[in-house]
Amino acid sequence: MNDRLLRTARRQPTDTTPVWLMRQAGRYLPEYRAIRGNIAFLDLCKNPDLAAEVTVQPVTRLGVDAAIIFSDILIPVEAMGIHLELGDKGPHFPNPLRTAADIDKLGVPDPVEGTGFVAEAIRRTRKALNDSVPVIGFAGAPFTLAAYMVEGGGSKSYIVIKRLLFEQPALAHRLFQKLTDTLIPYLKMQVEAGASIVQIFDSWGGELSPYDFERFSLPYLTRMVTELKATGVPVILFGTNMTPHLPLLKRTGADVIGLDWRVNVDEGRRILGPDVATQGNLDPLHLFLPREELDARVKDILGRAGPVGHIFNLGHGILPPSDPDAAKFLVDAVHRHGVALRQGVALR
């Protein structure tokens, strides 16, 4: 296996910097669109053969150092008993959680019974890749999932979920506890199926103040990280707008902290300290730069990050209009300059 990603997550030396891209299996790839044109998104997530096929596509085309299983962070939420609709415009819950009765009706599903298709997709992905690169399992964080479930979808102000936190904190904690009880077995199922590293997405955690993040998100993230690390796999924790929360994220014990593009990698590493690996953090829109400028951005990030304990990634997911050739150029540039960095070449 190409184990650069796993070694880097454990802050061990590698021959070059590993790279993968959030949402690397998606609409920017024509081969993905060819499959997606014949099937609904949620149905694709639940079809292990097709999910495995689209998971493998970017590994084959781009040469990335890991495959992240094709799924959605809201898959385990649906298994809890709330109706979910997923389309090109994003997730939608027609009947959002608004009362204590709504939350009490949610179940804590058996992961195999409710979401076993994810495990099967991981097994089929490993077989298709012949274990040539690690498979990344993933889940959303309790606060982020709760925000979707309470708001009914995406939000600009997060007023409904924040009112729940501030007006009925005990009820909010009941929801977060139930989500955590669902997510830990869900991720453990992915590990048992062959995921050799997992990522937790707290996509909306940056919408909370540090005080509220520490109160409403940190305890549940810490429990998730602790129980997942006990399985022996490294854990990546990622969220957007999280720079003010980096000291709190470190307290979770995660092996790797993902950085978005709003902070320089060297500053993120200074805040986190030497005992935590980092991941990131090219602005996804930099893929639209001329190749020479894109190359310069890659070199700058690698030079700031150093040769050990850094996984190259975007600061968020790759966007649908992106050119696959630009993504391939990026991956090749990371590998090329990563070798030079280890040979003592100054990249900045």
Side-chain angles (χ1 to χ4, degrees):
M1 177 186 286
N2 167 359
D3 65 350
R4 291 171 184 149
L5 180 76
L6 304 180
R7 292 179 61 82
T8 300
R10 297 183 172 105
R11 301 180 306 285
Q12 298 169 352
T14 55
D15 61 332
T16 190
T17 301
V19 53
W20 67 279
L21 309 177
M22 285 182 278
R23 295 189 194 145
Q24 66 187 19
R27 286 178 287 168
Y28 75 104
L29 291 177
E31 53 267 45
Y32 170 84
R33 294 195 299 270
I35 293 174
R36 179 70 175 79
N38 300 316
I39 187 170
F41 180 84
L42 198 52
D43 292 336
L44 176 54
C45 292
K46 295 179 179 180
N47 185 311
D49 283 324
L50 293 180
E53 183 177 347
V54 298
T55 298
V56 170
Q57 286 173 349
V59 180
T60 302
R61 178 185 274 257
L62 306 181
V64 287
D65 295 296
I68 183 165
I69 195 65
F70 183 83
S71 188
D72 190 90
I73 61 171
L74 295 172
I75 290 293
V77 164
E78 184 189 42
M80 295 175 73
I82 183 171
H83 180 61
L84 167 66
E85 297 176 357
L86 279 175
D88 291 337
K89 295 183 179 180
H92 175 60
F93 292 96
N95 301 300
L97 305 178
R98 294 295 165 83
T99 67
D102 292 337
I103 292 171
D104 290 341
K105 282 191 289 188
L106 294 173
V108 176
D110 177 278
V112 176
E113 291 182 5
T115 55
F117 48 86
V118 176
E120 186 58 31
I122 290 172
R123 286 189 284 267
R124 296 186 191 191
T125 296
R126 289 184 58 201
K127 183 177 180 181
L129 291 170
N130 196 27
D131 282 335
S132 57
V133 296
V135 175
I136 305 171
F138 72 90
F143 172 76
T144 288
L145 300 185
Y148 278 114
M149 298 163 77
V150 172
E151 296 280 347
S155 175
K156 292 183 178 179
S157 64
Y158 299 90
I159 186 171
V160 186
I161 182 65
K162 287 189 175 183
R163 286 190 63 181
L164 175 65
L165 304 188
F166 305 150
E167 295 175 352
Q168 302 182 77
L171 182 59
H173 282 295
R174 270 163 49 196
L175 175 57
F176 298 149
Q177 185 66 53
K178 191 169 283 191
L179 282 163
T180 305
D181 290 343
T182 296
L183 294 167
I184 291 172
Y186 175 67
L187 282 168
K188 286 183 175 180
M189 175 191 72
Q190 295 182 49
V191 172
E192 290 169 3
S196 48
I197 185 168
V198 296
Q199 176 159 309
I200 301 170
F201 288 85
D202 201 1
S203 307
W204 307 128
E207 299 298 325
L208 295 173
S209 71
Y211 177 89
D212 294 320
F213 184 87
E214 185 173 15
R215 184 181 181 193
F216 291 107
S217 188
L218 183 63
Y220 305 101
L221 289 173
T222 302
R223 183 183 157 206
M224 289 178 69
V225 169
T226 300
E227 295 207 28
L228 266 296
K229 286 182 67 172
T231 69
V233 303
V235 178
I236 306 169
L237 182 55
F238 170 77
T240 57
N241 286 312
M242 287 288 208
T243 302
H245 301 344
L246 289 179
L248 295 172
L249 295 178
K250 181 178 179 179
R251 283 168 48 186
T252 65
D255 300 277
V256 185
I257 302 296
L259 305 173
D260 70 12
W261 66 92
R262 297 172 179 89
V263 61
N264 286 327
V265 173
D266 50 353
E267 176 64 9
R269 301 202 77 167
R270 185 193 65 77
I271 295 169
L272 292 167
D275 55 341
V276 180
T278 54
Q279 178 176 278
N281 68 341
L282 186 78
D283 185 334
L285 285 170
H286 284 165
L287 287 172
F288 295 90
L289 286 168
R291 296 291 192 266
E292 183 178 348
E293 293 184 40
L294 176 57
D295 191 71
R297 304 298 173 98
V298 170
K299 289 172 65 177
D300 181 70
I301 290 171
L302 291 175
R304 292 176 184 276
V308 178
H310 176 243
I311 300 164
F312 197 100
N313 207 315
L314 303 178
H316 202 257
I318 191 168
L319 298 166
S322 301
D323 181 356
D325 290 340
K328 172 63 174 169
F329 177 89
L330 170 67
V331 171
D332 291 344
V334 171
H335 287 156
R336 182 175 68 257
H337 295 309
V339 170
L341 183 68
R342 284 154 180 79
Q343 294 172 342
V345 176
L347 300 183
R348 297 186 65 229

